[in-house]
Amino acid sequence: MPEFSGISPKVSVKISNSKLEGNATLEKLLSSTSNYYDIYKDGKLLEDEGNLKIGDTVTFKFNQKGIDKLHEKSYKPSVLEKEFTITETDVSSYIISKDELEDKFYDEIKTQAEAIMKAYLASKGSSNIPKYEGMYFLTPKDNGWQRRGTWNEYNIPTMHLVYSYEYENNDETRYSSIRAIGLINTKVELAEGEILDENTKPEQKVDYEKIVRINKEYKSLEKLFLDLVESNLEHYTYEMTEGMKNFK
């Protein structure tokens, strides 16, 4: 059986606990050594096993080395290939659009963001209430999902919740962003006999440790946009809530 790991659209796959009868040693060997089988997606050999997403169909096929190893052990399998489709029951997925955000989930994030902003202003000796202006939502382009850097990291969807405020005795408006990342639809856990259908929805959870204030203040919304959105457009696309400004 396949074993999936990661978060869609950056899912890895391998075979584990293969059900080969009568030869535990061979079963263990084939389930742990990818040299004996190849993985195909859309009829083509999968070059990057960590680049799959929910909805993709993959096919495992014993290659010649694997077949030779089976014959060496006098094992003649009736099935040399098997197809699987990745679903919400296999892995979690990144939220890749602001339209995916459930109202309750969005409200929880905004409540935490507002608390962070109030705490920041209080630390500056201000009791003024920050005003929520709106949100920019950045989603990686295809090239943005590719692995990069020493640790093979990749970009992930990022939400910027923008607030404006003033300090006491200073009527100059400032802007700050509360950044939220790691926005995911959790893996769907089905009860025995339950079937995944269009009415079964993943749960969206708030990870408060991944909601933080960007350590910068801006004197205009345009400067904030240029720094946090425009500068990332090589690898991201973006959306914004109604009322926010598009400086492109």
Side-chain angles (χ1 to χ4, degrees), residues 48-63:
D48 183 357
E49 295 179 13
N51 200 28
L52 295 168
K53 63 182 182 298
I54 290 174
D56 283 345
T57 296
V58 293
T59 303
F60 295 90
K61 294 183 181 181
F62 281 114
N63 54 32

Side-chain angles (χ1 to χ4, degrees), residues 6 8 23 31 42 83 101 119 122 125 130 185 189 196 200 210 216 223 227:
S8 178
N23 196 324
S31 67
D42 300 329
E83 183 178 278
L101 297 167
N185 296 303
E189 301 289 348
L196 180 69
T200 307
K210 294 181 179 179
K216 279 188 177 181
K223 288 182 179 179
D227 191 28

Side-chain angles (χ1 to χ4, degrees), residues 7 23 31 41 151 171 178 183 187 202 220 232 237-239:
I7 303 174
N23 196 324
S31 67
K41 172 189 169 186
W151 303 105
D171 59 2
I178 303 297
L183 309 169
K187 176 180 174 180
S220 71
N232 290 297
T237 60
Y238 75 94
E239 305 168 89

Side-chain angles (χ1 to χ4, degrees), residues 166-179:
E166 298 172 356
Y167 294 114
E168 273 89 349
N169 303 318
N170 188 337
D171 59 2
E172 183 179 22
T173 301
R174 306 291 180 93
Y175 297 87
S176 279
S177 164
I178 303 297
R179 183 187 65 198

Side-chain angles (χ1 to χ4, degrees), residues 1-6 10-16 34 37 39-40 46 48-52 58-60 84 86 90-91:
M1 294 295 292
E3 182 179 284
F4 299 102
S5 60
K10 301 299 295 184
V11 176
S12 299
V13 60
K14 66 178 181 179
I15 291 179
S16 65
S34 60
Y37 60 86
I39 304 176
Y40 291 81
L46 186 64
D48 183 357
E49 295 179 13
N51 200 28
L52 295 168
V58 293
T59 303
F60 295 90
F84 296 91
I86 305 172
D90 298 310
V91 289

Side-chain angles (χ1 to χ4, degrees), residues 1-238:
M1 294 295 292
E3 182 179 284
F4 299 102
S5 60
I7 303 174
S8 178
K10 301 299 295 184
V11 176
S12 299
V13 60
K14 66 178 181 179
I15 291 179
S16 65
N17 300 319
S18 55
K19 302 298 183 181
L20 301 179
E21 296 179 359
N23 196 324
T25 301
L26 182 60
E27 176 180 334
K28 182 178 179 181
L29 178 68
L30 291 175
S31 67
S32 62
T33 307
S34 60
N35 290 337
Y36 298 145
Y37 60 86
D38 295 321
I39 304 176
Y40 291 81
K41 172 189 169 186
D42 300 329
K44 297 180 180 179
L45 186 65
L46 186 64
E47 296 182 356
D48 183 357
E49 295 179 13
N51 200 28
L52 295 168
K53 63 182 182 298
I54 290 174
D56 283 345
T57 296
V58 293
T59 303
F60 295 90
K61 294 183 181 181
F62 281 114
N63 54 32
Q64 191 58 52
K65 186 175 182 179
I67 292 173
D68 291 344
K69 179 61 68 173
L70 291 169
H71 290 169
E72 179 185 316
K73 299 292 184 178
S74 299
Y75 186 83
K76 297 181 179 180
S78 59
V79 178
L80 293 178
E81 63 181 74
K82 187 70 175 180
E83 183 178 278
F84 296 91
T85 299
I86 305 172
T87 73
E88 289 89 347
T89 63
D90 298 310
V91 289
S92 299
S93 62
Y94 284 111
I95 296 170
I96 59 172
S97 169
K98 68 178 182 61
D99 293 334
E100 285 187 46
L101 297 167
E102 295 178 1
D103 291 342
K104 178 183 177 182
F105 180 67
Y106 189 21
D107 289 342
E108 285 185 65
I109 294 174
K110 287 195 293 184
T111 297
Q112 177 67 2
E114 183 174 338
I116 292 172
M117 278 304 310
K118 287 181 177 179
Y120 170 73
L121 290 178
S123 72
K124 298 295 184 178
S126 174
S127 60
N128 286 348
I129 303 299
K131 177 186 176 184
Y132 178 64
E133 297 288 348
M135 177 262 286
Y136 292 112
F137 193 98
L138 282 70
T139 304
K141 299 177 182 178
D142 288 344
N143 67 336
W145 287 112
Q146 302 309 307
R147 296 185 183 276
R148 59 177 173 79
T150 304
W151 303 105
N152 287 326
E153 296 175 342
Y154 49 86
N155 300 307
I156 61 175
T158 302
M159 180 193 298
H160 286 290
L161 298 97
V162 179
Y163 288 84
S164 63
Y165 50 91
E166 298 172 356
Y167 294 114
E168 273 89 349
N169 303 318
N170 188 337
D171 59 2
E172 183 179 22
T173 301
R174 306 291 180 93
Y175 297 87
S176 279
S177 164
I178 303 297
R179 183 187 65 198
I181 59 173
L183 309 169
I184 65 170
N185 296 303
T186 60
K187 176 180 174 180
V188 174
E189 301 289 348
L190 297 178
E192 186 175 354
E194 187 179 0
I195 299 175
L196 180 69
D197 60 31
E198 60 183 13
N199 297 317
T200 307
K201 291 185 177 181
E203 184 179 0
Q204 297 182 345
K205 291 185 177 180
V206 176
D207 185 344
Y208 290 106
E209 291 186 357
K210 294 181 179 179
I211 305 175
V212 298
R213 177 182 172 272
I214 296 294
N215 192 28
K216 279 188 177 181
E217 286 187 324
Y218 300 90
K219 293 185 178 180
S220 71
L221 187 56
E222 181 177 12
K223 288 182 179 179
L224 181 147
F225 175 87
L226 291 173
D227 191 28
L228 302 181
V229 181
E230 170 77 12
S231 65
N232 290 297
L233 293 186
E234 178 182 357
H235 298 298
Y236 285 89
T237 60
Y238 75 94

